[in-house]
Structures are given as C-alpha cells and as structure tokens.
Amino acid sequence: MRSDRLTRWIVAAIFVLLVIAPLFSSGVNVLVDWLWFDELGYRMLYVTVLKTEVALSGWFGVGFLVLAALNLLIVGRISHRAGYQVFSQMIEFPALDRFTTLFRSGVWLVVVLVSYVVGEWASGHWLDYLLAIHPASLHERDPIFGIGVSFYMFRLPFIWFLYHFGLALVVVAVLSAAFLYFLEGGVSIGPRGLAVAPGARAHLMVLGGLAFLLFAYRARLGMYGLLFSSRGLVYGAGYTDVHSVLPALWLMLVVCVVTALAFFAGAWMGKLRPVIYSIVALIAVAFVGLAIYPAIVQKYVVTPSELEKERPYIVNAIKFTRQAYELDRFDARPFPAIQNLTLQQVRENDPTVRNVRVWDHRPLLSTFQQIQEIRTYYDFLRVYNDRYQIDGHERQVCLSVRALNVNSLPDPNWINTHLIYTHGYGICLTPVNGSAPNGLPTLFIKNIPPVSSLPSLKVTRPGIYYGQLQNRYCIVDTSAKEFDYPSGAGNVYKSYSGSGGVPIHGFWRRVLFALRFQDVNILLSGYIQPASRIMIYRRILERASRLTPFLSYDDHPYPVISDNGGVYWILDAYTTSSQYPYSEPTADMGNYIRNSVKVTINAYSGRVRFYIADPTDVLIQSYARIFPGVFQPLSAMPADLFSHIRYPRDFFSIQASKYAVFHMTDPRVFYSKEDVWHFASQTVTGGTTPMTPYYMIQKLPEVGKKEEFVLMVPFVPVGKNNMISWMAARCDPPNYGHVLVFTFPKDKLIFGPQQIESRIDQNTSISSQLTLWNQVGSRVIRGSLLVIPMQDAVLYIEPLYLAAEAGAALPQLKRVIVAYADHVVMRRTLDEALSEIFGGQAEEAAATPGAPLLPQRPLTATRPIPSKVQSLIQEANQHFEQAQQDLRRGDWAGYGQEIQALGQVLQQLQQP
C-alpha cells in the first residue's frame, strides 16, 4: 500500500515538472503574444497559427496516446501471469515483484510523456500542414517522375512528417509491448531459452509487419529524394541514381511488402522462418542495391563516358536551378569596353559622377561615431545607402540612425533602462561624395535635435523606439517623464505621444507582464499608470520575424525619411523552400528563393505593414490564402516609401553566385567548368577580400534612358584577375527587379579590380605618399574600389582616408585615386583626378545639390609637366628607394635622414 502511494506521488511530481510547469510558462507567453499581435492588428495571423498548432498537437498527441494505450491494453489482455520461469520452475523475485506496479505505472507514464512530446513535435509542423492544404499551382513537372513541382514544395514535407509519426508510433508500441510482456509473463525464459507466448508473438509480429509496411513507404519516399541527391556531378538525380539506385529502391519496396506479409502470416500460423528469410533478403538487397551496384555503375559505366551519360541530368540541373533562383529572367548583353571615353562624355554623365560614393561605410561610420554620437549612450551601428530627390536631382546619400544603447548608461538602474531612457534620437545624412576642406563629410542632417540644410528633407519625429539594437522592453506614458535628447548642460524630457505598445490597463496585466519578463518591478512600480503602454520586441528583425516566422529576412534593413518627417524601416523578406527538384541549394536558405515581400516598420510607433513585391511567387500566393488580409499589394505602399524600395543585397549576392556558374547553359561547357566566374577581389586595409555588391547611380548602357539607382558587382574568371562581366539590378520603379548582365569581349583584356589595385601599389608616386602617411602615428585606410561603367568604357575609383593610429581615430578623406585605361592618378578630389586623366584644368566643385562636378569647358590636351617638377619627382623617388634600402639593412639613422630629405623635396613640390 505504501509503495503504491509512493508510486503515485512520484508519477504526480514528474508530471508536474515535465508537463504542468512548461504549460504554465507557455501559457503566459501565449497570452502576452496574443495581446501583442492584437495591438498590431494581426490577431487573425496569430489565431491561425495557434489554432493549427493546437489542432495538430491534439490530433497527433492524443492519437498517439490512444493508439499506444490500445496497444498496452492488448498486452494486458494477452499476458496470462506475472513471474519469471526458468527450466519449468518458477523463480520468485520478491524485490522485483514489489516494484511491478511501479514498472507498469512507469511504462504508462513514459507513454503519456512521449505522447506529449509527439504533440509538441507535431505542432511544430503547422506550416507544413497549412501549405499542404493550401497549395499553389505550379505547372512545371519534374523530369524523372513527371510529378508537378508543387507536390514537392507543398505536400511532400508533410508526408515525410506523417511517415516519421507512424514510425515513432510503431517503435514505441514494440518497445512498450515487449517490456510489459517480459514484466507480466508473455515473454519468459524456458528450458529451451527465451519463450514467447503465442498471443504475445502474434501481437509483436503484427507490429513488425506494420513497421515493414512503413519501410516500404520509406523506400517510395526515397525515390522522390533522388531529385535532391548530392552524390553526383550535379545536384539532383544523375545517371547512377536513375539507373541503379531507383531500381534498387523499387526492389526494396517489394521486398519490404513481402516481409510485412511474412510477419502477418507468421502472426497467424506461428512460423518465423519466412520472416527470417525475408529480412535476410531485404538486407542483401539494401547492401547490394544501394552500395555495391551503384558504385560499380558509377565506376565502369558512367566515369568512362561521363559527359554522354550525365548530359540530360546536367540539362535538368541547369534548367531547374535557373528557375528556382530566377536566373532565367536575367537579361544578358555584350559590353564592348572600347575605352574611348572623353571629357565631354564624362560631363554628359555628370549625375553619375556626382553620385560616386567616395565615402566608404567603414571610415564614415567611425567618423559619425566621433563627431555625431554626442553622448556615450548613443551608438551608430551601420551606414546605409539610399537616394533622395534633392532640388530636382536624384542624389545618393549615406545615412545612419542614432540608436540608444542602455548598456552604456552611466547608471543603468531599472527606472533608467525601462522608463526614462527609452529611445534613440535622429539620424545623420551626408551625400556620398560630400567632403569639407578638412576631409570630413558634408552633413545634410546632423546634431541633436536634427538640423537639416535641405528644406525638402527634414526629420520632424526623430524618436527611434524601434531599431536594430536588442534593447529590452520599455514602458511609456508613465508618470516618469522620458529622456528625449540632451540640450546644453541639461536634458529635455517629454511623454510619448504615439500609439505604439501594448496597453497595460490594470493589475492583472501587470501581473502577466511581470511573469513574462520575470521582473517584479513591473508589478510594484508606482510610476506605471493604467494608461501606460509596454513596448516589446523592439528589434526590427525580431519584430518582423515573430509576426511572420515563415519568412526569411535580409540582414540589411535600412531607414527611410518620409515626407512628413517620420523615420521608417524597410525590410526585405524572402519566401524559401528546400524542396525544388534539381535546384542547387544555398546554405541556410534552401534551393528556392524569392524576394516576395517588402516590410515597413514605423520607428516611432512600431506599426508593421507587409506588401507583396512578387505576386508570381507560388509561396506568397499560398501564404496570402492562408493569412488573408495580412499582405497588401505593393501599390498600396505610401508613395514616399515606395520610391525608396531597392533590390536586396543578400538576394542579389545569392543570385550572382549562382549565375557565376549557371550562366553556362551548354552542358559541355558546364561539365568542363571552362567559364566559371566569381566575385572580383579588392585590396582593403588588412588584406584582400571579395567585393560585395554596392549601390550606385548610373545610366545603364543600351536600356537606360536616364540615371537610376542600381545594385552592381563585377565578375572575374576563376583563377584569373581580369574582369569578364558585371551584373546590375535595377532598383527604381517601373524597372524594379530587372537584372542585367553585361559581358566583356573574351578577346580583350579588361583590367579587374585586383589588377587595378596592383597598378596602384606599383605607382611610385602613389606608393611613396602612402608610405609617408603610414608613419608617425597615422595610417592610411583604403576604401572600396568602385567599378564605374560609363558609356562603353570602365572607370575605377578608390578613395583614401587618413586616420590616427591610436586613440579615437577620426578618418578624413585625403585623396581619390582614379584609373582609366593605362592611366592611374591620385588627387585631392574626384574632379581633379578626372580632369587630370581626360584633360582640362581642375576646378573645385562644391558638394551642393545640382552643382556639376566637372568644369564645363572645352576638352584640351593634358599640359606637359615642367622640367623642374620632373627633376623633383625623380629626386623624391631616389630618396624613397634609398630609405627603403636603409630600412631593410636596419640602418635607422640613414633611414631617418632619407625620410627627412624626402619631406623637404615634397615641400618644394607643393610650392606653386
């Protein structure tokens, strides 16, 4: 009696710890998220997901429990006695018998807990289920089985789940039945060894037959899996898969069915020999058919004639990969690269030249941090590129948001971090080519509160409550005034005037939020009022992901200033799948991707809106049916935000990396890999790195009627440094999303970025100047090399910055290097360098909107360098070379003398 009571207490304690406590914690999270979704206007989205999770958890969790319990009841009916028999004699185990009830209860408890886990596992497949019952139509069929691709993308994942559920059920049923049979006498040890009662044997063999029927179905699913095989020359089924593995899987399916029938027959007639023969045959088929035979076919049939055998499968991989990544929509065009650019043509492309980005993100971010953070608790995290209409001209700008970092507060107590210091403040904005005489950026928007030098571009609501820092929750509309911004010796305080945040109302919601965030201060604080609102999930990527967990998000959200002076974030969201046949996968993204959704988030109120950017995508069509009213057409986006949409960098990078291989549509060329590209490399401070795609304003050859905002990247052949092509994605409506690839003539050498970097390093006048700057406590920062296609030619532009070696570095734009054809020059400004190359006298161009960058004067010949200047340059080079020799010998005295002499020569060169 006492042991039964102890058993019940143990079972109850385990149940509370493993089930009740997690359910209580989950219940608190569910209620908070319910309020949050409702506050944002997306209750339907949350309800749909929650109902599906609960339904799947109930159907599969309870179904698993019912079937497993039915199995245990059958065991109880079949078992005829409790005991342990050896050599026809009963052996009593008093100590073991004492715990028989505990063991039996333990089995039931394990079944209950496993059922609970299965229910939780099933609820995690809510998206697979919803897609399976709301498939979108896709007319493309796979080339092996002739089944529509929509079957693989929408139904196959949930079918796999059903298989694994059935397998888990059978495994638990077999193990629990065998254990109880041993415990209660259905399985015993007799004179001839292990003895199984007829009823128990029949029961276990029926379960075994069900298991092998599942294995037969697994073989059928494995056939579909061949379309995602990675063992061959290309991704997807190859010759060996189709001609050896596929027949072996069919044979395995037949043998599994025969084995299942043998189990059922054995349950009826009590014979085990057919079962044993069937299992041995199955093992032989699996070993020979899936391991030995494919290896023989690959070695002796495929390898000697690989191109001939694999040609149709290479065609399949090329076709389906291009479809899955939208590469088949790219527009490939030749680019002559004549290199006959004149100063007049450069002037005609003045909007492009005026928007060349001479401010690189890394040094500009450091500069912003030094001159505009103003207080220690403000951070600039990233620099973003965008374009704005300024005085009738489209100007490319760099901007950054001033975020609040509560971890940097002088006194990070609870009131400061959650009630008073609640938001960042304002932005900094500079033209990409704007530089003051001291080498610092020309700021269009700066300071606190934001001061704008542009009447058409002002920030009137600078509070940043939602951004990219992982700030904790904050509570607004409390009796404690919020810190708004610093002003002189004091601070400005005010109350929140927006609609963001979940209303707290009364006592019970305070209890709920205190439990959710495990913070009793929410319950006890006297500053919190019924009208107060709590802001949660304030990191914009987390905020959007919680609303739409079925979307993947680009890592580069960017801020936009609206016409009314508010700050919004625009995020790019992707629909992805790993179930597109024959498409080569991308790590962490699957093998199908579309940039189908644009998301806007108000930085002040946190309001989120979703817009369909690609209505042809089958996944977003399905999501729109599953969650009606969540997604709006892109035309519904406010015009002042719509004008700032852009092609996302991550998506472009993935497409470009795939196109670098899959532009080869000829199977023979693809097989030999004779025309594979990769991203060009560039030299940056610290070494060489692949170029990342960058935004610029340019007039595209042939198709462009005016300058437009594009995202581009240059390519070089694998193993070479000469440039082979460049790719550009158009960002401005109505041509948004149109991607062009311009290929250079293969019989002409076009310098690649790394070759231009080498020419810069080999230029003695440039390298000597860089060597000088890299001494005496300063260092040179090399900006990103920009490839600028213009007309039928290519320019290369690289900015140089100078910063202190130690302490608070403040990078200054010092020089701009321009390379064109055989010319490489370094000058103080971009217009000086261009004038030096193309002729004409350099003039300073003000960094003001609409001002032409280059002097509007006739093309003239380059002026000859005076003989005195030539001799001074030669003397400077001699001092530099001698200084390098002294440095290698360790002659520091001689090195110092030569450097001093070099400085004197350079001073003479600077004199008019």
Side-chain angles (χ1 to χ4, degrees), residues 133-303:
I133 64 175
H134 296 93
S137 176
L138 193 62
H139 301 296
E140 190 68 46
R141 294 181 175 273
D142 81 83
I144 305 299
F145 304 107
I147 299 175
V149 173
S150 60
F151 165 78
Y152 299 96
M153 294 183 66
F154 292 96
R155 290 195 169 97
L156 187 58
F158 193 69
I159 292 175
W160 272 107
F161 162 73
L162 293 177
Y163 161 74
H164 288 114
F165 171 79
L167 183 63
L169 178 60
V170 170
V171 169
V172 170
V174 170
L175 294 178
S176 60
F179 183 76
L180 280 184
Y181 278 133
F182 178 78
L183 189 67
E184 299 188 357
V187 177
S188 59
I189 303 175
R192 297 181 180 180
L194 187 67
V196 182
R201 181 169 56 245
H203 182 205
L204 292 175
M205 293 188 74
V206 168
L207 294 177
L210 294 175
F212 277 91
L213 285 179
L214 284 173
F215 295 155
Y217 193 63
R218 171 64 178 82
R220 185 70 181 106
L221 294 178
M223 299 177 195
Y224 300 138
L226 293 178
L227 300 177
F228 309 94
S229 171
S230 58
R231 83 182 87 201
L233 182 66
V234 293
Y235 189 80
Y239 182 93
T240 301
D241 294 315
V242 173
H243 291 86
S244 64
V245 179
L246 182 58
L249 288 173
W250 275 114
L251 185 57
M252 283 189 63
L253 187 150
V254 173
V255 176
C256 283
V257 172
V258 171
T259 305
L261 295 176
F263 268 94
F264 295 145
W268 178 260
M269 295 182 292
K271 295 182 179 181
L272 292 177
R273 187 167 298 177
V275 171
I276 296 174
Y277 291 159
S278 299
I279 294 177
V280 171
L282 180 61
I283 294 174
V285 168
F287 180 69
V288 175
L290 298 182
I292 296 179
Y293 182 55
I296 293 174
V297 171
Q298 181 67 35
K299 184 174 182 179
Y300 296 104
V301 177
V302 176
T303 302

Side-chain angles (χ1 to χ4, degrees), residues 50 78 95 112 131 143-144 209 215 269 278 308 389 512 527 542 574 657 668 691 719 724 744 803-804 907:
L50 184 61
I78 293 176
V112 170
L131 288 176
I144 305 299
F215 295 155
M269 295 182 292
S278 299
E308 176 189 351
Q389 286 291 326
L512 180 65
Y527 293 109
E542 178 191 12
Y574 307 127
S657 63
R668 182 178 297 275
M691 296 183 69
I724 191 69
F744 296 110
Q907 288 178 0

Side-chain angles (χ1 to χ4, degrees), residues 693-756:
Y694 53 90
Y695 294 97
M696 60 180 294
I697 289 179
Q698 73 165 135
K699 184 179 180 181
L700 291 171
E702 298 185 24
V703 298
K705 297 181 180 179
K706 63 176 184 178
E707 282 73 15
E708 56 187 299
F709 197 56
V710 300
L711 176 64
M712 72 94 64
V713 69
F715 291 101
V716 297
V718 168
K720 301 291 183 181
N721 288 319
N722 59 288
M723 196 155 57
I724 191 69
S725 64
W726 58 281
M727 178 185 291
R730 306 174 81 173
C731 299
D732 291 340
N735 299 311
Y736 172 82
H738 185 202
V739 180
L740 300 104
V741 181
F742 295 91
T743 56
F744 296 110
K746 293 187 178 180
D747 59 350
K748 182 183 295 187
L749 173 64
I750 307 299
F751 288 124
Q754 191 59 44
Q755 292 173 320
I756 296 297

Side-chain angles (χ1 to χ4, degrees), residues 204-398:
L204 292 175
M205 293 188 74
V206 168
L207 294 177
L210 294 175
F212 277 91
L213 285 179
L214 284 173
F215 295 155
Y217 193 63
R218 171 64 178 82
R220 185 70 181 106
L221 294 178
M223 299 177 195
Y224 300 138
L226 293 178
L227 300 177
F228 309 94
S229 171
S230 58
R231 83 182 87 201
L233 182 66
V234 293
Y235 189 80
Y239 182 93
T240 301
D241 294 315
V242 173
H243 291 86
S244 64
V245 179
L246 182 58
L249 288 173
W250 275 114
L251 185 57
M252 283 189 63
L253 187 150
V254 173
V255 176
C256 283
V257 172
V258 171
T259 305
L261 295 176
F263 268 94
F264 295 145
W268 178 260
M269 295 182 292
K271 295 182 179 181
L272 292 177
R273 187 167 298 177
V275 171
I276 296 174
Y277 291 159
S278 299
I279 294 177
V280 171
L282 180 61
I283 294 174
V285 168
F287 180 69
V288 175
L290 298 182
I292 296 179
Y293 182 55
I296 293 174
V297 171
Q298 181 67 35
K299 184 174 182 179
Y300 296 104
V301 177
V302 176
T303 302
S305 307
E306 191 169 38
L307 176 58
E308 176 189 351
K309 299 297 184 183
E310 297 287 4
R311 178 186 290 270
Y313 309 106
I314 293 174
V315 171
N316 293 337
I318 294 173
K319 175 185 176 182
F320 282 84
T321 300
R322 288 173 65 89
Q323 289 176 353
Y325 292 94
E326 290 191 311
L327 308 184
D328 54 343
R329 302 183 187 181
F330 287 13
D331 185 2
R333 295 169 178 265
F335 189 82
I338 300 175
Q339 301 297 80
N340 60 353
L341 200 61
T342 66
L343 182 60
Q344 181 61 35
Q345 291 174 322
V346 174
R347 291 184 185 137
E348 292 172 358
N349 288 271
D350 182 66
T352 297
V353 178
R354 189 190 307 122
N355 288 285
V356 170
R357 179 170 57 86
V358 298
W359 274 107
D360 205 23
H361 291 171
R362 291 167 294 129
L364 183 58
L365 179 62
S366 298
T367 302
F368 278 168
Q369 290 170 344
Q370 291 298 319
I371 66 176
Q372 281 293 305
E373 282 188 351
I374 300 177
R375 292 292 188 270
T376 58
Y377 41 78
Y378 286 131
D379 280 343
F380 287 107
L381 303 179
R382 286 183 179 178
V383 172
Y384 310 89
N385 274 116
D386 203 355
R387 72 284 195 197
Y388 287 85
Q389 286 291 326
I390 300 175
D391 293 342
H393 298 274
E394 187 170 61
R395 294 295 302 272
Q396 186 177 355
V397 300
C398 293

